[in-house]
Amino acid sequence: MPRKSFEEVLKYTEYAIGTFAKKSMDDGEKKHFIAETRHNFDNHINPGFLEYRKAAGADDMAMEWISHGDTFEDLNGDEYIDCLGGFGAFNCGHRHPKIVEAVTNQLAKQPLSSAELVDANRSLLARILADVTPGDLQYTFFTSSGTESVECGLKMATLATGRHYYVAFKGDFHGKTMGALSLTSKEHFRGPFLPLLQGTRHAPYGDLDYLKKLIDIMEYVGELPAAIIYEPIQGEAGVIVPPDDFIPGIREICDKYDIMMVADEVQAGMGRTGYLFATDYSKVAPDILCLGKSISGSVIPLSATVCTERAFRGMFPDPLLHSTTTGGNPIATAAGIAAFNVILSEDLCGKAQKGEKLFKDGMAVLLKKYPKLLTDFRGRGLMLAMEFCDGDLGYEVVYEAFNRKLLLSGSLINAKTIRIEPPLGITEEHILKSIEILDECMGIVYDKHFK
């Protein structure tokens, strides 16, 4: 495309900045803005995105515009119940006023620090994390995305143990940067980039006997891993809950062979499962805890790698061996501090447990009502999933729900399993309304295919 003059670009920036202040648009403005957004996605972001996200790519393309609590409005002013929650990113809800206030106050003082002097917010949030995380977790390295927190955890484990092998599990999703992608198990994401880290092994998720045999063999051949990394509940794989003895069993193996136990709670942490951290359910503590998504209160990107003193000392004999310019910046850490205040003061863990019961009671009825269509409903807290007989019919249910202003989504590339991950403070009214909408949508799909 021909390069535009700086004068043209300047004019365009002024137009774009002007849209930020608009709460609404007239019909002509909406039509123009939607057409322009579609053009920009197709030509400057990802031509396949609007086809993949079919609800977003419809002719009257829905565009998120204003969000609040457990709902958001599109550009046309239609309100949706958000039962997707940004795949676990909106635990505190959309635009929680206490978190927005903390960010606004910090923004008025200093958005980003020089990264040369000491900034207080980082230390305050690190202290909070040391106080609330399980076991002997003490130090935190802040980053901006979940995959970065996993990358940092891998490096910590390598330097703490002096080893260069890793064990993850079938169905795991740990990110898409090259190191984290080595641990992610799905060939769809890995295939184009192979070979990745060569010392990575994958075991069946939840199979403790297999894991014991694998580690025994790795010791025998001189390839003990630096880390066993796991999701306490697998998210992208379809909300897979392991047997109760699985996580404690990983802890026992790690203790026996001096392996770093790395919990990836980027999606499952921060109250999502009804526990502040999902590993709390198993009453064990990892050596390294990876957090992201909702740790900043659903307002600004932030992630964290929280670790024991041993893991930290191995990584940072030189304080700059691993670094980031903007990770843990003043705005993000202000949001993170406010997020913990909200989670604890509003008992979002308790609300997640109550929401779980309401959803499971409602879905038990739908399982009996549509047995050929809906085959399972599972999860913990408000990390839940509906399992359908196949992906095409699961997609039809999601599409019908979207038309009735209920937002849901599958597991990245599969609509056979549909996740339910709303803000933890979702109202009882909206839970019951969501079940009512799903009942209607499943009825339509069931009558179409099974009668």
Side-chain angles (χ1 to χ4, degrees):
M1 298 181 68
R3 185 177 183 179
K4 299 290 180 67
S5 70
F6 286 174
E7 289 78 10
E8 290 176 290
V9 175
L10 178 61
K11 185 177 180 180
Y12 191 75
T13 63
E14 291 169 349
Y15 157 74
I17 290 171
T19 65
F20 303 159
K22 290 189 175 185
K23 296 294 177 66
S24 62
M25 296 182 180
D26 62 35
D27 290 343
E29 289 176 315
K30 290 176 185 176
K31 184 176 180 180
H32 172 78
F33 195 61
I34 289 173
E36 182 173 17
T37 301
R38 182 187 298 278
H39 170 84
N40 290 344
F41 262 86
D42 283 341
N43 289 278
H44 305 298
I45 295 181
N46 186 337
F49 184 83
L50 297 183
E51 173 60 25
Y52 173 67
R53 299 291 189 196
K54 293 181 175 62
D59 290 340
D60 56 346
M61 185 173 69
M63 186 184 302
E64 293 182 48
W65 192 243
I66 297 175
S67 58
H68 35 76
D70 57 2
T71 65
F72 65 90
E73 294 179 18
D74 65 17
L75 184 59
N76 292 318
D78 293 324
E79 184 177 71
Y80 296 74
I81 299 173
D82 184 4
C83 272
L84 174 60
F87 301 97
F90 292 111
N91 290 14
C92 291
H94 295 273
R95 286 197 305 126
H96 192 289
K98 186 176 287 188
I99 300 169
V100 171
E101 180 183 17
V103 169
T104 302
N105 288 340
Q106 182 59 47
L107 183 63
K109 291 167 55 182
Q110 184 189 42
L112 297 178
S113 65
S114 68
E116 177 64 18
L117 280 69
V118 172
D119 59 282
N121 289 3
R122 192 184 313 226
S123 74
L124 297 172
L125 182 53
R127 163 68 182 273
I128 292 168
L129 282 164
D131 288 344
V132 299
T133 49
D136 297 323
L137 300 179
Q138 179 179 352
Y139 290 94
T140 297
F141 187 89
F142 292 106
T143 48
S144 298
S145 64
T147 192
E148 289 178 84
S149 67
V150 172
E151 294 284 354
C152 182
L154 291 179
K155 293 172 76 174
M156 285 179 173
T158 295
L159 293 179
T161 63
R163 301 171 187 161
H164 299 272
Y165 299 91
Y166 312 92
V167 172
F169 296 95
K170 181 181 178 181
D172 274 1
F173 182 88
H174 297 295
K176 294 180 182 175
T177 51
M178 295 297 272
L181 185 59
S182 302
L183 306 171
T184 293
S185 66
K186 187 170 286 187
E187 189 277 336
H188 180 87
F189 304 129
R190 292 165 51 86
F193 304 101
L194 293 172
L196 297 162
L197 291 178
Q198 294 300 288
T200 302
R201 310 283 191 272
H202 287 88
Y205 187 72
D207 191 335
L208 199 54
D209 289 337
Y210 187 103
L211 181 62
K212 290 176 179 177
K213 292 174 183 177
L214 174 63
I215 299 300
D216 179 66
I217 292 171
M218 293 181 76
E219 181 193 36
Y220 188 81
V221 300
E223 295 180 353
L224 271 176
I228 298 175
I229 185 168
Y230 66 96
E231 292 180 86
I233 296 177
Q234 289 185 324
E236 197 276 331
V239 187
I240 307 300
V241 180
D244 285 347
D245 66 344
F246 184 59
I247 307 303
I250 295 175
R251 179 71 272 173
E252 290 178 8
I253 291 170
C254 288
D255 290 342
K256 179 179 179 179
Y257 294 96
D258 192 30
I259 300 167
M260 291 276 112
M261 181 181 183
V262 183
D264 180 347
E265 297 210 23
V266 170
Q267 184 170 168
M270 302 300 292
R272 171 58 52 187
T273 63
Y275 297 81
L276 188 55
F277 303 104
T279 301
D280 289 339
Y281 174 84
S282 303
K283 296 181 173 59
V284 298
D287 301 293
I288 298 169
L289 176 66
C290 300
L291 300 171
K293 288 187 182 284
S294 65
I295 189 177
S296 65
S298 320
V299 170
I300 192 168
L302 176 67
S303 59
T305 309
V306 194
C307 65
T308 61
E309 183 175 8
R310 180 191 174 195
F312 179 85
R313 294 299 178 193
M315 179 72 162
F316 292 103
D318 174 345
L320 297 181
L321 189 60
H322 187 70
S323 62
T324 173
T325 301
T326 58
N329 63 73
I331 297 178
T333 46
I337 293 165
F340 275 107
N341 182 278
V342 168
I343 289 171
L344 298 177
S345 67
E346 299 185 9
D347 188 23
L348 292 189
C349 295
K351 289 180 179 178
Q353 293 178 18
K354 291 176 182 177
E356 173 188 356
K357 185 179 186 309
L358 285 170
F359 269 114
K360 285 186 173 178
D361 287 348
M363 296 305 291
V365 175
L366 300 187
L367 279 164
K368 293 180 180 179
K369 193 172 182 180
Y370 308 109
K372 296 178 183 178
L373 176 63
L374 183 65
T375 61
D376 191 20
F377 187 76
R378 58 179 176 266
R380 187 175 293 147
L382 285 175
M383 189 171 181
L384 303 167
M386 300 176 287
E387 185 85 17
F388 290 95
C389 58
D390 68 49
D392 289 339
L393 298 190
Y395 172 74
E396 286 188 34
V397 172
V398 171
Y399 185 78
E400 293 290 345
F402 184 80
N403 289 337
R404 290 159 180 78
K405 309 300 181 279
L406 173 64
L407 181 66
L408 297 158
S409 186
S411 300
L412 282 185
I413 60 171
N414 188 354
K416 188 173 188 287
T417 303
I418 302 300
R419 282 183 272 187
I420 296 177
E421 297 186 54
L424 303 185
I426 185 173
T427 64
E428 179 176 343
E429 176 189 0
H430 282 162
I431 291 176
L432 297 178
K433 180 64 176 178
S434 298
I435 295 169
E436 178 185 322
I437 291 172
L438 285 168
D439 187 2
E440 181 183 355
C441 297
M442 289 183 200
I444 292 170
V445 175
Y446 199 84
D447 290 346
K448 178 180 177 182
H449 294 278
F450 298 104
K451 282 194 173 181

